[in-house]
Amino acid sequence: LVQPSNTRIFNNSSFERAGAKIEEDLTKADAILGIKEVPIDKLIANKTYMLFSHTHKGQAYNMDSLREFLGRNIRLIDYELMTDQKGKRLVLFGTHAGYAGMIDGLHGLGQRLLALGYNSPLIHMGQAHVYPNLECVATKLRHVADIISDQGLPDAFAPMVFTFTGAGNVTKGARAIFDRLPHDNITVDELPKIVADRFNPRYKNRLLALQVSAQDYVERIDGGSYDRAEYREFPDRYRSVFAQKIAPYTTMLVNGIYWESRYPRLMTTKDLADIQRRRELKSRMLAIADISCDIGGSLEFMSHASTIDSPFFYVDAVNGVEHKDIEKPGVQINSIDNLPTELPFEASKHFGDSLYPYAKALALGNLSDPVLSRAVICQNGKLEAPHAHLEKNLAAAHGIRVADTRRKRVLLVGSGMVSQPLVDYLARSRDTDITVASNNLDEARSLACQFPNTQAMQLDISDTRGLDASVRGSDVVVSLIPAPLHPQLADAAIRNGRHMVTASYISPEMESLNCRARDASVTILNEIGLDPGIDHCSAMKIIDEAKSRGATVRSFISWCGGLTAPECSANELGYKFSWSPRGVLTAGLNAAKFKINKLERTIESGSLFAQKFGRVPLFPGFAFEGLANRDSLQYADIYGLKLNDMDTMFRGTLRYRGFAEILDAMYELGMLSLDNAVRMTPFEFLASRINLEPGQFDLSQIAHALATRLNTTPTSPLVSRLITAFSEFGMLDPTHRAIHAPTHLDFMSHILQSSLKFTSGERDMVCLFHEFGIEEPSGEYNVHTSSMVAYGDAESGETAMARTVGVPAAIATRLLLEGKIQTRGVIRPTIGEIYQPLLER
């Protein structure tokens, strides 16, 4: 059995031609062969797993995985422990990791030098994955070597010293790449003299290679000479002097050493800070190719594995800052933990040929094969004797869980009003890279430049190929584009096996994707903003608590509104727009269904404003009115309530009094119609809606025309309010320029967005209010309320609407990244595994 994949160098058809069966479900398998760590929730009990587990050195970040291997009675065979009798590893990617790591390191250094203002021959090196094979790499290296010989290297960085640690296959692979460039081999003792003679012409056209071993960079704490046997048995007697003897002369460190926690670190964070403080060393320690990729290992400041699509990060140890800005201070670190995948054909063939005899032995049940038996870490729920010492590591790491040390990747599609608080929240996690994708690249860049680890890109979601590539390069997709486009993006998320978050209601089109999402083990989490979103979470908390004590919910009333703060509401609508006016206007065209005092009621489409709730006395200081919000009855089922047992089931939208009267009149005038494209001035549009004759500009004529259309009198309060409103909208000025819009409603949306926008120093407000009538098991009837009022920040310009929509969506995204949400399919935040941690955060 082979799991399907669209990203392997050998496609699914190649495996089928070889006789494999392509299946996602591996439960029928007895032995499962992989490469890297398997997510804990994907482990299948009572199986044999063969992979790189990264547990045998007691790595704290993977002790939870080891605990699961034991708990699920899994036999764990680790490639890293498959050795001959002399301890030489037999199945490894090391050489190919070295190849790719060195290629990427040269590429990164070339980019770094350019960012510092210096062109160099290394700028011509690409990342390893851009080359079809190693032959193409060799061709490129010959080209770069010729440029080094002919044009030379930047004088400001001479001599360019590449320091190599380790003597295994990783370093051999790195040297195989580097040695194709013109270079001289040097020793540690030569370093001071060479750097003192830095302007010697011989360094202009040659690199310098320094191969070091432990005897070069450690010394006995109590003095005396280095003893290899003693160092291996009693490493605590030694300390590293790499930062003093070697690092101050090094341009790039290529790290390939095998390191365990009992050995001194090659460099600490303090060591790096000390070097970075010295102005005379600004051209040293520019880059590190950490091919060994030991997180927090021999290099204390190496905090995480980078990725092929985001290969470099920078550590400014002086200021304690880690960033991704190539122009800012810091040592460039390349710490990709799956380097061989950049050379997939050669790496796969080499690894497969090495593994074949032992995979065959496993398939035949020959577990007594000495190579296999030496590689078993645990079986039958117990650690094998050579690994019994890991019990201490398991105990020390109890309660610590780092399921995935790779950087998390979020694709945010949309860069509009609510995006900033979402990015702000996600960017606080240093392990998360965010891509803001939009059809408005300038807007996306304006947002991305404000936050670390955030980049912008242009995206056309109608471009299926480009969309799939962007989605596939993320762990979670967040959709903040217009609601009708969500299903298209969700389809791409399902197609590429990625989770998705959106704040919009579940549409029928989105609901139709439920089965496909479940089958693909994908979560499409909708309705996770304010309303819907926070309202669901707070409601379900009270409902579930009531159910847990045997109580019955007899009544549920929910009000929510995005409003202008009272002091900023001085216009006839009592409203300004902190988000798209189109959403406000189209919401008023919806039909509504609800139940009040045991009677079910329906409001037809177009009648919502006319059938407003004129007084909603939630708080004495607010003059609220309300509009019924869509189909309230469906939420009885969504919230797990029995509608027949309920007297009232109602969800409504809050506005200040007077809002609905103006909007209802606009509806009656045909200003909210979804028919007919419009190209005219605002005044011409108004005139066309009220049958105003050409040349009629007088207010009395406009009042008379309005009264005639609305079947009222010219002196009525409604007509007076409308004239004031249209004046505020800029519709009474015949000199305004023409507007082109696809519908009447879009025309009015454009006008309202330009005329009723927040100005400097103004703020918005959101209000959420729940009222529950709950009958206790004793028969006692109690009323419970839950409320929230939030204001925008007038100083920063952040709106309450953006915050209360963006932050819940960001928290949900974080929960998915952390693996805290296990429910799959098209869902809402009405289950405890979502609403409980979301409310806590």
Side-chain angles (χ1 to χ4, degrees):
L1 301 177
V2 174
Q3 282 189 319
S5 171
N6 295 320
T7 56
R8 282 190 296 248
I9 187 65
F10 298 107
N11 59 25
N12 297 333
S13 298
S14 300
F15 281 94
E16 288 178 317
R17 287 195 297 271
K21 194 172 181 180
I22 305 298
E23 282 192 20
E24 185 69 43
D25 185 6
L26 299 181
T27 54
K28 291 185 287 188
D30 296 306
I32 298 173
L33 280 64
I35 298 295
K36 306 290 283 185
E37 299 97 322
V38 178
I40 288 174
D41 62 323
K42 303 288 186 186
L43 290 173
I44 305 172
N46 305 312
K47 304 291 183 184
T48 294
Y49 277 82
M50 184 183 285
L51 43 73
F52 288 110
S53 71
H54 298 138
T55 60
H56 78 95
K57 292 191 289 183
Q59 293 97 318
Y61 59 88
N62 269 337
M63 286 300 96
D64 215 48
S65 293
L66 181 57
R67 191 176 292 109
E68 289 296 322
F69 283 121
L70 292 165
R72 300 191 192 197
N73 192 34
I74 291 171
R75 177 187 289 116
L76 173 59
I77 302 175
D78 198 306
Y79 299 131
E80 203 167 349
L81 300 175
M82 296 175 75
T83 63
D84 61 16
Q85 290 182 336
K86 295 182 179 180
K88 180 182 178 181
R89 287 181 58 189
L90 300 172
V91 179
L92 67 163
F93 280 118
T95 305
H96 290 81
Y99 294 156
M102 192 70 244
I103 295 166
D104 287 355
L106 293 170
H107 163 73
L109 182 57
Q111 298 291 320
R112 180 63 161 159
L113 290 173
L114 186 64
L116 294 174
Y118 295 87
N119 188 21
S120 76
L122 299 182
I123 196 64
H124 299 285
M125 287 298 301
Q127 262 189 269
H129 67 83
V130 306
Y131 302 106
N133 51 48
L134 285 170
E135 185 178 343
C136 294
V137 175
T139 300
K140 175 56 71 174
L141 287 168
R142 284 196 296 272
H143 174 63
V144 172
D146 289 343
I147 298 175
I148 292 174
S149 298
D150 293 343
Q151 300 180 17
L153 300 159
D155 292 334
F157 300 93
M160 295 190 73
V161 178
F162 287 70
T163 299
F164 295 84
T165 62
N169 287 287
V170 164
T171 302
K172 288 176 182 177
R175 287 301 304 259
I177 296 297
F178 176 87
D179 288 353
R180 291 177 177 268
L181 300 175
H183 69 281
D184 291 330
N185 292 310
I186 61 173
T187 65
V188 172
D189 293 339
E190 295 177 274
L191 283 172
K193 181 180 178 181
I194 288 171
V195 173
D197 191 27
R198 54 177 302 199
F199 295 112
N200 191 316
R202 69 188 293 254
Y203 303 136
K204 175 73 175 177
N205 304 94
R206 302 187 72 74
L207 304 172
L208 300 181
L210 174 65
Q211 182 72 52
V212 298
S213 60
Q215 66 185 23
D216 295 309
Y217 59 77
V218 298
E219 66 179 16
R220 293 187 90 255
I221 296 172
D222 295 336
S225 60
Y226 169 84
D227 183 284
R228 184 170 184 268
E230 180 190 46
Y231 177 62
R232 292 203 163 196
E233 187 174 357
F234 304 106
D236 57 314
R237 297 177 182 175
Y238 289 77
R239 64 187 167 205
S240 172
V241 289
F242 184 91
Q244 293 74 40
K245 286 182 62 178
I246 299 169
Y249 307 101
T250 297
T251 307
M252 170 181 274
L253 167 62
V254 183
N255 189 31
I257 61 173
Y258 174 88
W259 184 84
E260 293 183 10
S261 57
R262 62 195 189 96
Y263 290 98
R265 297 184 193 276
L266 192 67
M267 286 184 70
T268 65
T269 305
K270 181 181 180 301
D271 289 335
L272 180 61
D274 290 343
I275 290 173
Q276 291 179 338
R277 285 191 183 97
R278 295 170 61 183
R279 292 177 58 84
E280 73 273 18
L281 297 182
K282 65 179 182 179
S283 64
R284 298 294 146 191
M285 285 301 289
L286 292 180
I288 298 174
D290 192 4
I291 306 174
S292 59
C293 195
D294 265 330
I295 297 168
S298 62
L299 302 172
E300 183 182 28
F301 45 85
M302 209 291 278
S303 64
H304 64 273
S306 58
T307 62
I308 292 171
D309 55 349
S310 183
F312 306 109
F313 63 96
Y314 300 82
V315 175
D316 175 359
V318 173
N319 296 303
V321 174
E322 186 178 294
H323 62 86
K324 301 189 77 171
D325 189 334
I326 195 170
E327 296 182 352
K328 288 183 178 179
V331 60
Q332 180 190 76
I333 297 181
N334 166 24
S335 58
I336 299 171
D337 66 350
N338 56 344
L339 282 166
T341 62
E342 293 199 71
L343 301 167
F345 182 82
E346 288 97 341
S348 296
K349 188 175 186 307
H350 169 80
F351 191 83
D353 290 346
S354 302
L355 179 61
Y356 177 75
Y358 313 112
K360 183 177 180 180
L362 178 63
L364 296 174
N366 183 17
L367 288 165
S368 61
D369 180 292
V371 173
L372 290 181
S373 62
R374 279 193 291 268
V376 176
I377 292 178
C378 65
Q379 59 184 332
N380 301 319
K382 296 180 180 179
L383 292 167
E384 291 293 279
H387 306 288
H389 65 279
L390 293 176
E391 289 287 2
K392 294 180 181 178
N393 300 82
L394 286 167
H398 187 70
I400 299 174
R401 176 170 182 165
V402 183
D404 186 358
T405 60
R406 295 180 181 86
R407 292 188 64 77
K408 313 295 191 299
R409 301 165 299 172
V410 175
L411 174 67
L412 167 60
V413 184
S415 53
M417 296 180 180
V418 304
S419 301
Q420 182 163 331
L422 182 140
V423 176
D424 181 37
Y425 183 93
L426 291 174
R428 297 173 198 169
S429 299
R430 294 175 61 186
D431 67 344
T432 303
D433 294 320
I434 305 158
T435 299
V436 181
S438 175
N439 60 359
N440 186 335
L441 184 57
D442 289 340
E443 185 178 71
R445 284 173 171 165
S446 178
L447 173 63
C449 72
Q450 302 176 51
F451 302 99
N453 303 323
T454 304
Q455 62 180 349
M457 66 171 288
Q458 188 143 18
L459 180 65
D460 177 1
I461 70 166
S462 64
D463 174 11
T464 303
R465 186 172 181 180
L467 177 62
D468 281 350
S470 298
V471 170
R472 197 163 49 244
S474 67
D475 297 307
V476 177
V477 179
V478 182
S479 180
L480 293 180
I481 53 180
L485 300 177
H486 291 326
Q488 184 177 346
L489 193 54
D491 183 72
I494 295 167
R495 193 164 59 240
N496 292 282
R498 298 296 185 264
H499 303 307
M500 182 174 127
V501 172
T502 175
S504 297
Y505 283 104
I506 296 177
S507 65
E509 294 79 11
M510 186 70 85
E511 186 68 51
S512 70
L513 299 174
N514 182 46
C515 291
R516 280 187 54 216
R518 279 207 309 258
D519 291 344
S521 193
V522 166
T523 298
I524 307 293
L525 177 55
N526 303 261
E527 304 187 10
I528 188 63
L530 169 63
D531 175 10
I534 297 175
D535 60 341
H536 289 333
C537 297
S538 59
M540 286 307 304
K541 181 178 185 293
I542 292 176
I543 291 169
D544 284 348
E545 287 174 352
K547 287 181 177 180
S548 69
R549 61 180 185 268
T552 303
V553 177
R554 298 296 185 190
S555 172
F556 174 70
I557 298 173
S558 175
W559 290 103
C560 187
L563 301 145
T564 306
E567 72 274 16
C568 306
S569 61
N571 61 64
E572 284 300 317
L573 272 186
Y575 200 86
K576 291 192 175 183
F577 292 91
S578 62
W579 60 304
S580 171
R582 195 179 199 282
V584 175
L585 300 182
T586 54
L589 303 182
N590 293 324
K593 292 195 294 185
F594 51 90
K595 185 178 184 180
I596 292 182
N597 296 330
K598 300 184 179 180
L599 293 177
E600 292 189 14
R601 290 182 54 190
T602 298
I603 298 177
E604 300 299 329
S605 175
S607 300
L608 200 64
F609 296 123
Q611 298 187 43
K612 65 182 182 296
F613 292 78
R615 186 172 180 273
V616 183
L618 302 183
F619 303 103
F622 293 120
F624 288 142
E625 67 183 22
L627 305 170
N629 188 358
R630 305 194 189 205
D631 180 6
S632 297
L633 302 182
Q634 65 174 322
Y635 284 90
D637 183 56
I638 289 170
Y639 289 168
L641 302 172
K642 294 180 180 179
L643 185 61
N644 291 337
D645 293 342
M646 299 182 70
D647 301 329
T648 298
M649 183 71 200
F650 179 86
R651 298 175 78 248
T653 301
L654 293 171
R655 295 288 182 259
Y656 292 130
R657 289 179 206 161
F659 175 92
E661 183 181 47
I662 298 292
L663 267 293
D664 184 51
M666 289 168 57
Y667 177 81
E668 292 298 326
L669 294 172
M671 292 180 170
L672 306 185
S673 168
L674 293 174
D675 300 327
N676 304 324
V678 185
R679 182 187 288 275
M680 56 182 69
T681 69
F683 181 79
E684 289 171 339
F685 180 70
L686 172 61
S688 72
R689 296 295 87 211
I690 63 176
N691 301 324
L692 199 63
E693 295 295 328
Q696 292 184 324
F697 300 105
D698 188 78
L699 289 183
S700 64
Q701 294 170 322
I702 295 172
H704 187 272
L706 278 169
T708 301
R709 284 282 281 115
L710 297 172
N711 195 27
T712 185
T713 64
T715 58
S716 70
L718 172 59
V719 170
S720 176
R721 290 193 67 215
L722 284 171
I723 289 177
T724 302
F726 292 143
S727 176
E728 291 169 345
F729 300 165
M731 299 179 74
L732 300 185
D733 185 348
T735 65
H736 283 184
R737 285 189 290 181
I739 298 169
H740 179 236
T743 69
H744 291 178
L745 185 142
D746 288 292
F747 190 94
M748 286 306 305
S749 179
H750 180 92
I751 288 174
L752 294 177
Q753 183 146 26
S754 61
S755 62
L756 295 185
K757 58 188 177 184
F758 284 86
T759 59
S760 177
E762 293 186 329
R763 59 180 183 160
D764 70 331
M765 180 187 85
V766 298
C767 179
L768 174 64
F769 189 94
H770 292 323
E771 181 183 286
F772 300 84
I774 298 177
E775 184 179 334
E776 302 295 338
S778 64
E780 182 182 2
Y781 190 91
N782 292 314
V783 174
H784 297 256
T785 62
S786 172
S787 64
M788 177 187 77
V789 177
Y791 291 90
D793 187 331
E795 186 174 334
S796 70
E798 181 184 84
T799 66
M801 178 61 71
R803 189 189 322 127
T804 54
V805 173
V807 171
I811 294 173
T813 301
R814 193 71 213 167
L815 292 173
L816 281 167
L817 290 172
E818 294 170 0
K820 301 289 178 62
I821 299 175
Q822 296 298 313
T823 305
R824 302 296 182 238
V826 176
I827 63 173
R828 299 175 177 88
T830 52
I831 51 179
E833 71 170 359
I834 301 175
Y835 74 70
Q836 288 175 350
L838 190 140
L839 291 173
E840 289 170 3
R841 296 187 188 195

